[in-house]
Amino acid sequence: MSELTEHRHPDPKVGPWRVRLTWRQVDGVPECVGLTLLSDNPDDRITDSLLRKLQVSRLIAADRAQLAAHPAPGAGLSTSKRQRYERVAAIYRKALAAGEPPVKAVAAAERLSQAGASALVVRVRQAGFLPPTSSGVASGGA
């Protein structure tokens, strides 16, 4: 699962340049794995001078610090566990939206007992894939 950050240059509000950084969690740490540089002005060209002014390394450092302070759901989980938690969260939200008991839906889909599904949903919530809930009140987020 990747995440994007975007910066405008030279004006932080209107650009015209947009610097987009693509991020992935690698061993629980946000790492920049992609860079896109676009201008809203079709006549603009990428020059050596522009690349120096952008100070991409500073953008990467600032975004990495921000992303590390607010980790994405599942940061530090193995790929298979993260995929399972994403799947369980989707099952839970779908059942909730349909007015069905979400933990029962998770139990059926994952072939678990009610208690096992309930414990799994707690772990999925703790990992950030579902929002916090009040005792006995299902919550699946947006």
Side-chain angles (χ1 to χ4, degrees):
M1 181 154 46
S2 59
E3 191 170 344
L4 294 174
T5 57
E6 183 172 296
H7 302 270
R8 304 287 290 197
H9 179 81
D11 184 302
K13 293 185 180 174
V14 297
W17 288 99
R18 285 184 276 159
V19 181
R20 290 186 185 144
L21 302 174
T22 304
W23 297 86
R24 282 200 198 104
Q25 293 287 328
V26 178
D27 296 326
V29 177
E31 294 293 344
C32 184
V33 297
L35 167 72
T36 305
L37 179 58
L38 301 167
S39 177
D40 294 336
N41 180 350
D43 295 327
D44 284 342
R45 302 288 179 260
I46 297 173
T47 63
D48 292 343
S49 174
L50 171 67
L51 292 174
R52 280 190 298 276
K53 289 177 186 174
L54 288 175
Q55 299 182 347
V56 174
S57 62
R58 284 189 180 181
L59 298 176
I60 290 172
D63 287 354
R64 179 180 287 119
Q66 182 70 21
L67 292 169
H70 304 286
L77 295 177
S78 68
T79 301
S80 61
K81 188 172 276 190
R82 184 175 51 255
Q83 289 171 344
R84 183 178 192 206
Y85 284 11
E86 288 170 347
R87 182 178 67 243
V88 167
I91 293 164
Y92 187 98
R93 283 191 293 271
K94 183 178 178 184
L96 192 61
E100 299 170 4
V103 175
K104 272 189 178 179
V106 169
E110 294 293 306
R111 299 181 184 172
L112 297 169
S113 67
Q114 185 80 9
S118 183
L120 177 58
V121 168
V122 167
R123 291 193 305 272
V124 169
R125 255 186 229 295
Q126 289 171 338
F129 291 96
L130 290 170
T133 186
S134 300
S135 182
V137 180
S139 175

